[in-house]
Amino acid sequence: MIGTRGVPARYGGFETAVEEIGARLVDAGHRVQVYCRGAEEPLREYKGMRLVHLPAVRHKALETLSHTALSVGHLLARRTDVALVFNAANSPLLPVIRAARIPVATHVDGLEWKRDKWNGAGRRYYLAAERFSVRWSQAIIADAVAIQDYYRERYKTGSVMIPYGAPIQEAADTALLERSGYEPGRFHLVVARFEPENHVAEIVAGYARSRAEYPLVVVGSAPYAAEYTRRIREIADADPRITLAGAVWDQALLDALYAGCASYLHGHSVGGTNPSLLRAMGAGAPVISYDVVFTREVLGGTGLFFEDEAGLAEILEMAEKRREEETARGAAARERARTAYTWDDVAARYERLCHDLAAGRSPAQG
């Protein structure tokens, strides 16, 4: 498993997927090797997975590809049955893997070229990387039907749809919330990196123009978006109801925030099946989302949707007045996550894909 920061998962959706899928493949009797970016005290093994730690260039445009290049170099000297490459940005290295006669599938993630943080050159690179993924992968992995549709329409190619899984929480740790200064069931929550396509500024501004009584807690930061962060901070500083909590690395507290919020406000717009959204659903949080096809697909009929700041303000005020309906909506979202987005099913799909690739069969594609 190549192309992520590795495990233990401490950063994002790719890393969580690698940990959840890899551990289950180990339990099923497979040998799993995960390439990880350098650590001060690297583990050799985690949950049965063998870990290989290699360095990377610390630059937003070079970090992923530089680490993957070293990983591929290491891989070529050690025969494996199948390589799973995460992130279409790594696709220029696919011909090297193919030349070694190693079957390879690429998880393309979302529409990275739409992110505002990439300038013209970066955007062109990511569009080219999509084309390279299609040309050089034996299978494309899409994490949402809408991503499948995009690749079918743009590149006339099929893909294997495998979403992420959702952790399920039946109840919030109210004692932990109270010790941390949060009143269970009486705060709105955002968890997102501060990037324009995640619409954090619009969410904060929409909340600020509302007459909501519950405070807004914003979890997240932005390593490469100082101007965007400044905009968010200016809005928050003018409204005492808004708390910018920064990054929360305490997983127990983060879980409690998801499960204990009055609503989870989701603004992501360029990804497929978003892991943070699934975590909120699995925790029974009523979701209010920016209206995009990816989120409608995941939420089914359990979400509320906004298109602008005024629309969000109106929904927040309404949601606070009908708490019983919102609790029921959150419970419905948790049941959808429990049945449609399970890690056991996700891992089983990856196992079938790997068996097909290793046997030289064409995976079933949509």
Side-chain angles (χ1 to χ4, degrees), residues 140-198:
I140 292 292
I141 303 169
D143 62 25
V145 172
I147 295 294
Q148 277 192 309
D149 292 342
Y150 170 80
Y151 273 81
R152 185 183 302 110
E153 292 166 9
R154 188 178 185 104
Y155 300 106
K156 312 304 180 189
T157 189
S159 57
V160 180
M161 207 292 277
I162 310 179
Y164 292 105
I168 303 299
Q169 290 190 74
E170 299 295 347
D173 186 338
T174 56
L176 176 57
L177 286 175
E178 289 169 350
R179 288 198 304 272
S180 303
Y182 304 105
E183 185 176 356
R186 293 184 65 85
F187 62 91
H188 303 287
L189 178 68
V190 180
V191 180
R193 287 197 291 273
F194 290 0
E195 298 175 342
E197 59 276 1
N198 292 344

Side-chain angles (χ1 to χ4, degrees), residues 278-340:
L278 289 178
R279 188 173 290 277
M281 292 170 63
V287 177
I288 301 171
S289 175
Y290 184 70
D291 195 358
V292 291
V293 63
F294 307 113
T295 309
R296 281 191 176 273
E297 176 186 328
V298 175
L299 284 167
T302 70
L304 297 178
F305 299 92
F306 66 93
E307 296 181 351
D308 53 29
E309 296 169 11
L312 175 58
E314 182 179 344
I315 291 173
L316 283 169
E317 293 170 8
M318 176 192 68
E320 288 189 354
K321 294 175 182 176
R322 53 173 215 177
R323 293 310 307 149
E324 288 188 8
E325 292 93 333
E326 289 300 282
T327 299
R329 194 165 63 80
R334 179 165 49 217
E335 287 310 303
R336 177 166 172 77
R338 194 196 310 275
T339 57

Side-chain angles (χ1 to χ4, degrees), residues 31 42 58 69 81 120 124-125 139-140 150 156 204 236 272 302 317-318 342 356 359-360:
R31 292 190 300 274
R58 298 300 179 186
D81 295 320
R124 288 192 295 272
Y125 174 82
I140 292 292
Y150 170 80
K156 312 304 180 189
V204 173
T302 70
E317 293 170 8
M318 176 192 68
T342 69
D356 287 341

Side-chain angles (χ1 to χ4, degrees), residues 181-365:
Y182 304 105
E183 185 176 356
R186 293 184 65 85
F187 62 91
H188 303 287
L189 178 68
V190 180
V191 180
R193 287 197 291 273
F194 290 0
E195 298 175 342
E197 59 276 1
N198 292 344
H199 294 90
V200 180
E202 289 81 358
I203 289 173
V204 173
Y207 173 87
R209 68 187 294 170
S210 77
R211 294 187 295 257
E213 296 181 7
Y214 301 166
L216 174 67
V217 178
V218 182
V219 174
S221 59
Y224 302 119
E227 179 59 28
Y228 192 70
T229 299
R230 184 190 61 77
R231 179 182 167 197
I232 294 169
R233 192 170 298 281
E234 285 180 353
I235 300 170
D237 287 346
D239 191 328
R241 300 172 300 167
I242 301 173
T243 298
L244 300 183
V248 174
W249 301 110
D250 182 340
Q251 190 60 56
L253 176 57
L254 192 57
D255 288 344
L257 288 168
Y258 277 114
C261 65
S263 67
Y264 173 73
L265 310 181
H266 186 72
H268 296 65
S269 62
V270 302
T273 304
N274 182 267
S276 183
L277 173 61
L278 289 178
R279 188 173 290 277
M281 292 170 63
V287 177
I288 301 171
S289 175
Y290 184 70
D291 195 358
V292 291
V293 63
F294 307 113
T295 309
R296 281 191 176 273
E297 176 186 328
V298 175
L299 284 167
T302 70
L304 297 178
F305 299 92
F306 66 93
E307 296 181 351
D308 53 29
E309 296 169 11
L312 175 58
E314 182 179 344
I315 291 173
L316 283 169
E317 293 170 8
M318 176 192 68
E320 288 189 354
K321 294 175 182 176
R322 53 173 215 177
R323 293 310 307 149
E324 288 188 8
E325 292 93 333
E326 289 300 282
T327 299
R329 194 165 63 80
R334 179 165 49 217
E335 287 310 303
R336 177 166 172 77
R338 194 196 310 275
T339 57
Y341 296 99
T342 69
W343 280 119
D344 286 346
D345 177 61
V346 169
R349 295 194 203 185
Y350 271 92
E351 185 179 31
R352 287 195 296 272
L353 171 62
C354 290
H355 277 306
D356 287 341
L357 291 172
R361 296 188 296 265
S362 297
Q365 300 187 349

